[in-house]
Amino acid sequence: MDPGDPEERSAAADPAADTTGGRDLHLFLQTLQTLWSTRELRQLREEAWKGFATLNDPLATLLDMLDASRGCGGRGPSLEAWVARELERWLQAQPRPGPAQGDPALKPLQVRAVRLLTEGPLSLVEPLVSIFQLQDADRSAVLAHIHRLHQEGKFKEVCVPLLLQDKVDLVERYVDSLPHLQRRLLTLMDSWCQPGFDIRAVARQYPQAPLRLERLSPRALGRQVLRLLEQFSLDPALCPSVLTQQRLAALRYLCYKRLVERSMSQESWAELVQGLVGQDEWLREQLLQLLASQDDVATVAQCALDLLLPEERLPATVVAEMSQLRLQESSAPPRTAKAPSEHRRDDCYQLPIPREDIHFLASWEDLARHEDVLLQPGQVVGVDLEWRPSFGVGGRPRVSLMQVAVAGRVFLLDLPRLSSPTGGQAPQAFSQLVSRLLSDPSITKLGYGMAGDLRSLGASYPALAQAVQKLQGGLDLLQAHRQMQVADRPAPAVDRAAGPRGLSLLVQQVLGKPLDKTQQLSNWDRRPLGEEQLAYAAADAYCLLEVYWALCREPARFHLPGALPWSLGLGRSKRRGTWEPPPQKASASPRQVCSPEDATPEVPARAFRVVCDNMLGGLARTLRCLGVDVRVLHSGEDHRQAAEVARQEGRVILTSGLPYHKLRAQVGAGRCLAVDCSLKAQQQAKAVIRHFNVRVTPADIFSRCQRENPLDTRSVPRARRPLLGIHIGACNCDQYLRVSKDVMKQLVQLSVHPGGSGGAGSEAPHSDGEQETGSALEEAPEGCTYDPPCRWLEDTDLQTRVPATLANGTQLQLAGVPAGVLRRPGLQHFYCCTGCGKVFWEGSHLARVTSNFQEVLEGAPCPAGGPS
């Protein structure tokens, strides 16, 4: 029935349709109004329940009352909303339920209820959805309601509920091609990122929605806002809160790199920090706090001097050190530029060519002079790019420098100058030279993560937008590096005292020393570039040649199947123009990765225990989801702690690669694995499962509690606390108790109404914002049943019922159980974690995980289309 049907409206108002059982509705309402005005709530409830019992059709009577009161509402709580909530409680307390879904008498009532929701206050949403079972109603009425909201321009009423349910894709479609709505969306999301904003205050207005508040943290929202800013091509100034949040995160990162890790030069640090802070007083105050928390007085004093920070806001020891530094600078001779050879570190890779063989090309004449060398057929070249770090602030960074290394020489192409329209013939000559270089299949182009670099090049310079598609003869050494890491053994000539990552790690493994990355985070837009920058840029490209030559000479030494480029040249990627490693031969078992004589004994998932470093949080959550016992190092814990934990608790170390060789020497062979950080968490988990021959069954999925809790920051050193974000740990307990639906209803009802009035689940508790296992409304497909081995909850397991507390002192987290779940027909029981009290129930998460890990599950059902 159409919500605007005049016949339906007249039927609703027909006095002949008596729904009050002969009782005068006006007299009933007048009595309630009198008691409402005096706030005699106990007597008011008694009178209301007595009146409900005399009504022939309480549902229709409620709608009549709400229809009659439309437009009369004011500020504060209304009698109508109170009556609706009390009728909901009264109906739940009755021995016989109201009309069931599909009852012909219920549908017209649902249509009227949806129409009332269109114009009624938010306080009516929860009781009307519950009373009239709107969550399972015919969608036509709801769609008509959404269409009406759209026509009336009620943007927030449409978008806010979708955002709270993590349905950003639907919101994107809603604002597609509508710039004014796109701006409103970003302004709204940015307002949720303001310091001190509590998203739960918004969520409480939508108690019936299956919310995903864990996806709405300021950090997660900030990433979404930055993505949408770029997608919609809007001014970043629309989102000041997100930009400030990004600048603060970048500031913490830079302080960590300079003051803790010491992997940045002082000059680069000061320049980037000054660009981030600018004239923002709030960020300046955050910087002062970060510096004041450090123990290295000399470095902090130099930082304060370079940034001209106010002395009155700094510790006295730092101020005294600043005075000493001023005296030293005033008496020291003027600084002179140093040659690259003077910057060399003996413990890092040394560029084997002299300074005069590093050529900086900034004009058409420069390109023409060296074109023959750059495009010589049959040669091998190393290609790399540099750009000023933006830290996600201000859009995608523009590539500033392109390095091309050939045997004995390196050419540095000044991209801003060569692509400038004022450069005469330079822009066309530049784009033609690069296009010819990339498309010539006789020239082998070496890179590390080459496809990503070429995408950045194409995004920065439209004339090279097809750089990835044009590439022929590309050889990405990242693929070779991955093959080397699969062997799980240190490559030759590795310095075990250090542990870089990425290209620097590859250079260390093959050539014996890592790259010096001190200039990586420097201002590559600055002209002229410093001598240290020139040396770093040249080394970054030339090392690719030396690594390539070493791998070609001795591929077996580095655990590669054949001489390059053939070992990586058996197939071309359909998605990008780089060479890929040859496919591995299929084995009899998808989990078997070694020969029978070297086979690793099979380990049950719940008996497999690991400790992960703090860079592998996604892998840790995924493995725990599969039943693995996972511990994650806090950000304040040293990597050496991993070895101690592994020895004491019998765990395997999973590390992102930086400390791998040092840790492996401390725990022995087979007890430490370097995980490829370029892979997604699911791919990492599958690699770990196959490597250690872990047996995962469907019963292992969600056999451990996933609840995340804030960590006790007392274990983090004081100096590092300001530089670190908020860290979380997980319960990890594998002991559950099974709870029947009836018992859960009683416990929830007692937690909401300790006095015991009303029925179970009489008032929907608000979600606590944490992800609920199985909290989605879809049912799991056939064959995907959650049935962990656990016993039923008994009276002796409860220490108290209000609040519901287990015998071990753990309080059940009943606030996370929505009333809608308690009314779900197919749901028969719940599970509670004995470690933290979290409550779980079966839903669509189980099927999704089963589908994602089908290839490594033992005994998993295989539906025709796969579980959704």
Side-chain angles (χ1 to χ4, degrees), residues 757-819:
S757 63
S762 58
E763 186 165 60
H766 303 303
S767 171
D768 59 6
E770 297 167 355
Q771 182 174 352
E772 307 291 339
T773 298
S775 59
L777 295 181
E778 297 85 9
E779 294 296 330
E782 184 72 18
C784 299
T785 303
Y786 185 63
D787 188 26
C790 59
R791 61 184 180 83
W792 288 94
L793 175 75
E794 300 176 357
D795 289 341
T796 55
D797 293 314
L798 288 173
Q799 187 180 100
T800 61
R801 282 182 170 263
V802 182
T805 306
L806 299 178
N808 62 3
T810 300
Q811 184 173 330
L812 298 187
Q813 307 297 317
L814 300 176
V817 184

Coordinates of all heavy atoms in Angstrom, one line a residue, residues 757-819:
S757 N 11.5 -5.1 36.3 CA 10.2 -4.9 35.6 C 10.4 -5.0 34.1 O 11.5 -4.6 33.6 CB 9.7 -3.5 36.0 OG 10.6 -2.5 35.6
G758 N 9.4 -5.4 33.4 CA 9.5 -5.5 31.9 C 10.0 -6.8 31.5 O 10.5 -7.6 32.3
G759 N 10.0 -7.1 30.2 CA 10.4 -8.4 29.7 C 11.9 -8.3 29.3 O 12.5 -7.3 29.3
A760 N 12.4 -9.5 28.9 CA 13.8 -9.6 28.5 C 14.1 -8.7 27.3 O 13.3 -8.7 26.4 CB 14.1 -11.1 28.3
G761 N 15.2 -8.0 27.4 CA 15.5 -7.2 26.3 C 14.5 -6.1 26.1 O 14.3 -5.6 25.0
S762 N 13.9 -5.6 27.1 CA 12.8 -4.6 27.0 C 13.3 -3.3 26.5 O 12.5 -2.6 25.9 CB 12.2 -4.4 28.4 OG 13.1 -4.0 29.3
E763 N 14.6 -3.0 26.6 CA 15.1 -1.7 26.1 C 16.4 -2.0 25.4 O 17.3 -2.5 26.1 CB 15.2 -0.7 27.2 CG 15.6 0.7 26.6 CD 15.4 1.8 27.7 OE1 16.0 1.7 28.7 OE2 14.6 2.6 27.4
A764 N 16.5 -1.7 24.1 CA 17.7 -2.1 23.4 C 18.9 -1.4 24.0 O 19.0 -0.2 24.0 CB 17.5 -1.8 21.9
P765 N 19.9 -2.2 24.5 CA 21.1 -1.5 24.9 C 21.9 -1.0 23.8 O 21.8 -1.4 22.7 CB 21.9 -2.7 25.6 CG 21.4 -3.9 24.9 CD 19.9 -3.6 24.5
H766 N 22.7 0.0 24.0 CA 23.5 0.7 23.0 C 24.7 -0.1 22.8 O 25.3 -0.7 23.7 CB 23.9 2.1 23.4 CG 22.7 3.0 23.7 ND1 21.7 3.2 22.8 CD2 22.3 3.7 24.8 CE1 20.8 4.0 23.3 NE2 21.2 4.3 24.5
S767 N 25.2 -0.2 21.5 CA 26.4 -0.9 21.2 C 27.6 -0.1 21.8 O 27.6 1.1 21.9 CB 26.6 -0.9 19.7 OG 27.9 -1.4 19.3
D768 N 28.6 -0.9 22.3 CA 29.7 -0.2 22.9 C 30.8 0.1 21.8 O 31.8 0.5 22.2 CB 30.3 -1.2 23.9 CG 30.8 -2.5 23.4 OD1 30.7 -2.7 22.2 OD2 31.2 -3.3 24.2
G769 N 30.4 -0.1 20.6 CA 31.3 0.4 19.5 C 32.4 -0.6 19.1 O 33.1 -0.4 18.2
E770 N 32.4 -1.8 19.7 CA 33.4 -2.8 19.3 C 32.8 -3.7 18.3 O 31.6 -4.0 18.4 CB 33.9 -3.5 20.6 CG 34.6 -2.6 21.6 CD 34.8 -3.3 22.9 OE1 34.3 -4.4 23.0 OE2 35.4 -2.6 23.8
Q771 N 33.7 -4.3 17.5 CA 33.2 -5.2 16.5 C 32.7 -6.5 17.2 O 33.4 -7.1 18.0 CB 34.3 -5.6 15.5 CG 33.8 -6.5 14.5 CD 34.9 -6.7 13.4 OE1 35.9 -6.1 13.4 NE2 34.7 -7.6 12.5
E772 N 31.5 -6.9 16.8 CA 31.0 -8.1 17.4 C 31.1 -9.3 16.4 O 30.8 -9.2 15.2 CB 29.5 -7.9 17.6 CG 29.1 -6.7 18.5 CD 29.6 -6.8 19.9 OE1 29.8 -8.0 20.4 OE2 29.8 -5.8 20.6
T773 N 31.6 -10.4 16.9 CA 31.7 -11.6 16.1 C 30.3 -12.1 15.7 O 29.5 -12.3 16.6 CB 32.5 -12.7 16.8 OG1 33.8 -12.3 17.1 CG2 32.5 -14.0 16.0
G774 N 30.0 -12.2 14.4 CA 28.7 -12.6 14.0 C 27.7 -11.5 14.2 O 26.5 -11.8 14.2
S775 N 28.1 -10.2 14.3 CA 27.1 -9.2 14.5 C 26.3 -8.8 13.3 O 25.3 -8.1 13.4 CB 27.7 -8.0 15.1 OG 28.7 -7.5 14.2
A776 N 26.7 -9.2 12.1 CA 25.9 -9.0 10.9 C 24.6 -9.8 10.9 O 24.5 -10.8 11.5 CB 26.7 -9.3 9.7
L777 N 23.6 -9.3 10.2 CA 22.3 -9.9 10.3 C 22.1 -11.1 9.4 O 21.2 -11.9 9.5 CB 21.2 -8.9 9.9 CG 21.1 -7.7 11.0 CD1 20.0 -6.8 10.5 CD2 20.8 -8.2 12.3
E778 N 23.1 -11.2 8.4 CA 22.9 -12.4 7.5 C 23.2 -13.7 8.2 O 24.1 -13.7 9.0 CB 23.8 -12.2 6.3 CG 23.5 -11.0 5.4 CD 24.2 -9.8 6.0 OE1 25.0 -9.9 6.9 OE2 23.9 -8.7 5.4
E779 N 22.6 -14.7 7.8 CA 22.8 -16.0 8.4 C 23.9 -16.7 7.6 O 24.1 -16.5 6.4 CB 21.6 -16.9 8.4 CG 20.4 -16.4 9.3 CD 20.8 -16.4 10.7 OE1 21.6 -17.3 11.1 OE2 20.3 -15.5 11.5
A780 N 24.7 -17.5 8.3 CA 25.8 -18.3 7.6 C 25.2 -19.3 6.7 O 24.2 -19.9 7.0 CB 26.7 -18.9 8.7
P781 N 25.9 -19.6 5.6 CA 25.3 -20.6 4.6 C 25.4 -22.0 5.2 O 26.0 -22.2 6.2 CB 26.3 -20.5 3.4 CG 27.0 -19.2 3.6 CD 27.0 -18.9 5.1
E782 N 24.8 -22.9 4.5 CA 24.7 -24.3 4.9 C 26.1 -24.8 5.0 O 27.0 -24.6 4.2 CB 24.0 -25.1 3.9 CG 23.8 -26.6 4.2 CD 22.8 -26.8 5.3 OE1 22.0 -25.9 5.6 OE2 22.8 -27.8 6.0
G783 N 26.4 -25.5 6.1 CA 27.7 -26.1 6.3 C 28.7 -25.3 7.1 O 29.7 -25.8 7.5
C784 N 28.4 -24.0 7.3 CA 29.3 -23.1 8.0 C 28.7 -22.8 9.4 O 28.0 -21.8 9.6 CB 29.6 -21.8 7.3 SG 30.3 -22.0 5.7
T785 N 28.8 -23.7 10.3 CA 28.2 -23.6 11.6 C 29.2 -23.4 12.7 O 30.3 -24.1 12.7 CB 27.4 -24.9 11.9 OG1 26.5 -25.1 10.9 CG2 26.7 -24.8 13.3
Y786 N 29.0 -22.4 13.5 CA 29.9 -22.1 14.6 C 29.5 -23.0 15.8 O 28.5 -22.9 16.4 CB 29.8 -20.6 15.0 CG 30.8 -20.2 16.0 CD1 32.1 -20.2 15.7 CD2 30.4 -19.7 17.2 CE1 33.1 -19.8 16.7 CE2 31.3 -19.3 18.2 CZ 32.6 -19.3 17.9 OH 33.5 -18.9 18.8
D787 N 30.4 -23.9 16.2 CA 30.1 -24.8 17.3 C 31.4 -25.1 18.1 O 32.0 -26.2 18.0 CB 29.5 -26.1 16.7 CG 29.0 -27.0 17.9 OD1 28.7 -26.5 19.0 OD2 29.0 -28.2 17.7
P788 N 32.0 -24.1 18.8 CA 33.2 -24.3 19.5 C 33.0 -25.3 20.7 O 31.9 -25.4 21.3 CB 33.6 -22.9 20.1 CG 32.3 -22.2 20.2 CD 31.4 -22.8 19.1
P789 N 34.0 -26.1 21.0 CA 33.9 -27.1 22.1 C 33.8 -26.3 23.5 O 34.8 -25.8 23.9 CB 35.1 -27.9 22.0 CG 36.1 -27.1 21.3 CD 35.3 -26.2 20.4
C790 N 32.6 -26.2 24.1 CA 32.5 -25.5 25.4 C 31.3 -26.1 26.1 O 30.4 -26.6 25.4 CB 32.5 -24.0 25.2 SG 31.1 -23.5 24.2
R791 N 31.2 -25.9 27.3 CA 30.0 -26.3 28.1 C 29.0 -25.2 28.3 O 29.3 -24.0 28.1 CB 30.5 -26.9 29.5 CG 31.2 -25.9 30.4 CD 31.6 -26.5 31.6 NE 32.3 -25.6 32.5 CZ 31.7 -24.8 33.4 NH1 30.3 -24.8 33.4 NH2 32.3 -23.9 34.1
W792 N 27.8 -25.6 28.8 CA 26.8 -24.6 29.0 C 27.0 -23.8 30.3 O 27.6 -24.3 31.2 CB 25.4 -25.3 29.1 CG 24.9 -25.9 27.8 CD1 25.1 -27.1 27.3 CD2 24.1 -25.2 26.8 NE1 24.5 -27.2 26.1 CE2 23.9 -26.1 25.8 CE3 23.6 -23.9 26.7 CZ2 23.2 -25.7 24.6 CZ3 22.9 -23.5 25.6 CH2 22.7 -24.4 24.6
L793 N 26.6 -22.6 30.3 CA 26.6 -21.7 31.5 C 25.6 -22.3 32.5 O 24.5 -22.5 32.2 CB 26.3 -20.3 31.1 CG 26.2 -19.3 32.3 CD1 27.6 -19.0 32.8 CD2 25.5 -18.0 31.9
E794 N 26.1 -22.5 33.7 CA 25.3 -22.9 34.8 C 25.2 -21.9 35.9 O 26.0 -20.9 35.9 CB 25.8 -24.2 35.4 CG 25.9 -25.4 34.3 CD 26.5 -26.6 34.9 OE1 26.9 -26.6 36.1 OE2 26.5 -27.7 34.2
D795 N 24.2 -22.0 36.8 CA 24.1 -21.1 37.9 C 25.3 -21.0 38.7 O 25.7 -19.9 39.2 CB 22.9 -21.5 38.8 CG 21.6 -21.2 38.1 OD1 21.5 -20.5 37.1 OD2 20.5 -21.8 38.5
T796 N 26.0 -22.1 38.9 CA 27.3 -22.0 39.7 C 28.4 -21.3 39.0 O 29.4 -20.9 39.7 CB 27.7 -23.5 40.0 OG1 27.9 -24.2 38.7 CG2 26.7 -24.2 40.8
D797 N 28.3 -21.0 37.7 CA 29.3 -20.2 37.0 C 29.2 -18.7 37.3 O 30.1 -18.0 36.9 CB 29.2 -20.5 35.5 CG 29.6 -21.9 35.2 OD1 30.6 -22.4 35.7 OD2 28.9 -22.5 34.4
L798 N 28.0 -18.3 37.8 CA 27.8 -16.9 38.0 C 28.0 -16.5 39.5 O 27.4 -17.1 40.4 CB 26.3 -16.5 37.6 CG 26.0 -16.5 36.1 CD1 24.5 -16.3 35.9 CD2 26.8 -15.4 35.4
Q799 N 28.9 -15.6 39.7 CA 29.2 -15.1 41.0 C 28.0 -14.2 41.4 O 27.5 -14.2 42.5 CB 30.5 -14.3 41.0 CG 31.0 -13.8 42.4 CD 32.3 -13.1 42.3 OE1 32.3 -11.9 42.3 NE2 33.4 -13.8 42.1
T800 N 27.6 -13.3 40.5 CA 26.4 -12.4 40.7 C 25.7 -12.3 39.4 O 26.3 -12.5 38.3 CB 26.8 -11.0 41.2 OG1 27.6 -10.4 40.2 CG2 27.5 -11.1 42.5
R801 N 24.4 -12.0 39.5 CA 23.6 -11.8 38.2 C 23.5 -10.3 37.9 O 23.3 -9.9 36.7 CB 22.2 -12.4 38.4 CG 22.2 -13.9 38.2 CD 20.8 -14.4 38.3 NE 20.8 -15.9 38.0 CZ 20.4 -16.3 36.8 NH1 20.1 -15.5 35.8 NH2 20.5 -17.6 36.5
V802 N 23.6 -9.4 38.9 CA 23.6 -7.9 38.6 C 24.7 -7.3 39.3 O 24.7 -7.2 40.6 CB 22.2 -7.3 39.1 CG1 22.2 -5.8 38.8 CG2 21.0 -8.0 38.5
P803 N 25.8 -6.9 38.6 CA 26.0 -7.2 37.2 C 26.4 -8.6 37.0 O 26.9 -9.3 37.9 CB 27.2 -6.3 36.8 CG 27.9 -6.1 38.1 CD 26.9 -6.1 39.2
A804 N 26.1 -9.1 35.8 CA 26.4 -10.5 35.5 C 27.9 -10.8 35.5 O 28.7 -10.3 34.7 CB 25.9 -10.9 34.1
T805 N 28.4 -11.5 36.5 CA 29.8 -11.7 36.8 C 30.1 -13.2 37.0 O 29.4 -13.9 37.7 CB 30.3 -10.9 38.0 OG1 29.9 -9.6 37.9 CG2 31.8 -11.0 38.2
L806 N 31.1 -13.7 36.2 CA 31.5 -15.1 36.3 C 32.2 -15.4 37.7 O 32.6 -14.4 38.3 CB 32.4 -15.5 35.2 CG 31.7 -15.4 33.8 CD1 32.7 -15.7 32.7 CD2 30.5 -16.2 33.6
A807 N 32.3 -16.6 38.0 CA 32.9 -17.0 39.2 C 34.4 -16.6 39.3 O 34.9 -16.3 40.4 CB 32.8 -18.5 39.4
N808 N 35.0 -16.4 38.2 CA 36.4 -15.9 38.2 C 36.6 -14.4 38.3 O 37.7 -13.9 38.2 CB 37.2 -16.4 37.0 CG 36.6 -15.9 35.7 OD1 35.7 -15.1 35.7 ND2 37.2 -16.3 34.6
G809 N 35.4 -13.7 38.4 CA 35.5 -12.3 38.6 C 35.3 -11.5 37.3 O 35.2 -10.3 37.3
T810 N 35.2 -12.2 36.1 CA 35.0 -11.5 34.8 C 33.5 -11.1 34.7 O 32.6 -11.9 34.8 CB 35.4 -12.5 33.7 OG1 36.7 -12.9 33.8 CG2 35.1 -11.8 32.3
Q811 N 33.3 -9.8 34.4 CA 32.0 -9.3 34.2 C 31.6 -9.5 32.7 O 32.3 -9.1 31.8 CB 31.9 -7.8 34.6 CG 30.5 -7.3 34.5 CD 30.4 -5.9 35.1 OE1 31.2 -5.5 36.0 NE2 29.5 -5.0 34.5
L812 N 30.4 -10.0 32.4 CA 29.9 -10.2 31.0 C 29.6 -8.8 30.4 O 29.0 -7.9 31.0 CB 28.7 -11.0 31.0 CG 28.8 -12.5 31.5 CD1 27.5 -13.3 31.3 CD2 30.0 -13.2 30.9
Q813 N 30.0 -8.6 29.1 CA 29.9 -7.4 28.4 C 28.5 -7.4 27.7 O 28.4 -7.5 26.5 CB 31.0 -7.2 27.4 CG 32.4 -7.3 28.0 CD 32.7 -6.3 29.1 OE1 32.3 -5.1 28.9 NE2 33.3 -6.7 30.2
L814 N 27.5 -7.2 28.5 CA 26.1 -7.3 27.9 C 25.7 -6.1 27.2 O 24.7 -6.2 26.4 CB 25.1 -7.6 29.1 CG 25.4 -8.9 29.9 CD1 24.4 -9.0 31.0 CD2 25.3 -10.1 29.0
A815 N 26.3 -5.0 27.4 CA 26.0 -3.8 26.6 C 26.2 -3.9 25.1 O 25.6 -3.1 24.4 CB 26.8 -2.6 27.2
G816 N 27.0 -4.9 24.7 CA 27.2 -5.1 23.3 C 26.2 -6.0 22.6 O 26.4 -6.4 21.5
V817 N 25.2 -6.4 23.3 CA 24.2 -7.3 22.7 C 22.9 -6.5 22.3 O 22.1 -6.2 23.1 CB 23.8 -8.4 23.7 CG1 22.8 -9.4 23.0 CG2 25.0 -9.1 24.2
P818 N 22.7 -6.2 21.0 CA 21.6 -5.5 20.6 C 20.3 -6.3 20.8 O 20.2 -7.5 20.7 CB 21.8 -5.3 19.1 CG 23.3 -5.5 18.9 CD 23.6 -6.5 19.9
A819 N 19.2 -5.5 21.1 CA 17.9 -6.2 21.3 C 17.4 -7.0 20.1 O 16.8 -8.0 20.2 CB 16.8 -5.2 21.7

